[in-house]
Amino acid sequence: MSAADPSTWDAEAPTFDEAPDHGLLDADVRAAWRTLLLGVLPPAPAGVVDLGCGTATLSLLLAEHGYAVDALDFSPAMVQLASDKVAGAPASVGSRVAVRQGDAGDPGLAPASVDVVLCRHVLWALPDPSLAVRRWVRALRPGGLLVLVEGDWSTGAGLSAAHCASIVGESCARVEVRRLGDPRLWGREIFDERYLVVARP
Ligand SMILES: C[S@@+](CC[C@H](N)C(=O)[O-])C[C@H]1O[C@@H](n2cnc3c(N)ncnc32)[C@H](O)[C@@H]1O
């Protein structure tokens, strides 16, 4: 089982939202992510692409605040759950999210077509993260933003902040890394490296 294989994520899908930071089912955890993301994103309505959207939790969180979201994942089971969740959201929110199946590493975005590329916990799993970031940055409109959430997890999976910043630095002139040690984001204390990267070309 490899993280680059959609079937790995199909197997994760049914229980994926049980982790506090995945489903954001706890109001305090949800509020912490809302504050974090709205604090770095340009004001709504801006166009966001959520690459490797999983069950579309972040897509819907942003749609609740007026963002238009293109949500993409390569796992058929994740896409199904994301589509179900979007269909079950109030029409005013769900109508702002379009879910599609595709490869985050090559999402087929037109140059200068999106305001924000958002990618949480996915870059580490891509076979060629440098190439993916180059493609994402090309898709940003002038003034656009790359927003990544990654980690170097105690499980042994992930990407260190230094490595991630160096990959992003190949395509972006301004790269800011912020540690995400606040337990409210995770529903518990954490002891590994988790971080936000906000970058502009
Ligand atoms: C750890 S989950 C994160 C889900 C979501 N971003 C979140 O934060 O809740 C990783 C997701 O990335 C997706 N993924 C991994 N590699 C991908 C790729 N090359 N293209 C599209 N989706 C991918 C998986 O199917 C899974 O849904």
Side-chain angles (χ1 to χ4, degrees):
M1 298 270 272
S2 143
D5 180 347
S7 66
T8 299
W9 298 102
D10 283 343
E12 295 280 327
T15 55
F16 188 76
D17 278 355
E18 290 173 11
D21 58 306
H22 292 172
L24 305 187
L25 301 170
D26 178 276
D28 291 338
V29 176
R30 191 171 184 82
W33 282 96
R34 181 189 305 121
T35 301
L36 179 76
L37 293 176
L38 298 188
V40 296
L41 260 58
V48 178
V49 57
D50 182 5
L51 297 175
C53 65
T55 62
T57 300
L58 294 187
S59 298
L60 282 167
L61 179 69
L62 295 182
E64 281 170 15
H65 292 274
Y67 293 90
V69 186
D70 173 16
L72 172 152
D73 204 285
F74 73 171
S75 149
M78 290 289 193
V79 168
Q80 185 62 56
L81 287 173
S83 302
D84 291 347
K85 224 195 245 185
V86 167
S92 59
V93 174
S95 62
R96 294 199 190 101
V97 182
V99 181
R100 63 188 172 102
Q101 193 166 342
D103 180 5
D106 192 3
L109 300 169
S113 61
V114 295
D115 299 305
V116 177
V117 172
L118 169 69
C119 191
R120 183 176 75 158
H121 299 165
V122 182
L123 186 68
W124 69 275
L126 299 184
D128 190 341
S130 295
L131 176 59
V133 169
R134 275 204 298 282
R135 288 180 170 137
W136 302 348
V137 168
R138 257 200 314 264
L140 291 174
R141 292 196 176 104
L145 212 59
L146 178 63
V147 178
L148 306 178
V149 178
E150 287 296 334
D152 189 1
W153 297 290
S154 54
T155 56
L159 196 59
S160 72
H163 188 188
C164 185
S166 134
I167 290 168
V168 174
E170 294 165 10
S171 303
C172 290
R174 284 168 292 172
V175 183
E176 181 203 335
V177 179
R178 194 187 303 173
R179 305 287 156 171
L180 299 180
D182 185 346
R184 281 174 297 186
L185 290 165
W186 313 107
R188 62 184 176 88
E189 293 284 346
I190 54 129
F191 302 97
D192 47 14
E193 185 183 54
R194 302 179 189 205
Y195 56 93
L196 172 78
V197 174
V198 178
R200 295 172 193 276

